[in-house]
């Protein structure tokens, strides 16, 4: 999710498409939050690991 978010963010900035930039930023933030919660040992969505 983090990788896809970064790719969409970069493509949105290069191509000037604001929708891609927004979706990429949202995916990047959500992926980072889920990654941090997963590494601290908290269960996310009923799973101990989220990937």
């Amino acid at each position: 999710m983090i990788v896809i978010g970064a790719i969409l963010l970069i493509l949105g900035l290069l191509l000037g498409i604001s929708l891609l930039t927004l979706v990429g930023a949202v995916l990047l933030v959500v992926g980072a939050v889920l990654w941090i919660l997963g590494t601290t040992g908290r269960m996310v969505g009923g799973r101990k690991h989220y990937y």
Side-chain angles (χ1 to χ4, degrees), residues 1 7 11 13 18-21 24 28 34 37-39 42-43 46-48:
M1 188 176 286
I7 291 171
L11 283 176
L13 290 174
S18 62
L19 182 64
L20 277 181
T21 307
L28 196 64
L34 289 175
L37 287 175
T39 57
R42 298 186 137 234
M43 291 182 67
R47 296 176 176 218
K48 193 164 188 156

Side-chain angles (χ1 to χ4, degrees), residues 4-28:
I4 293 172
I7 291 171
L8 288 177
L9 183 66
I10 291 169
L11 283 176
L13 290 174
L14 290 176
L15 299 175
I17 303 173
S18 62
L19 182 64
L20 277 181
T21 307
L22 178 67
V23 171
V26 168
L27 283 177
L28 196 64

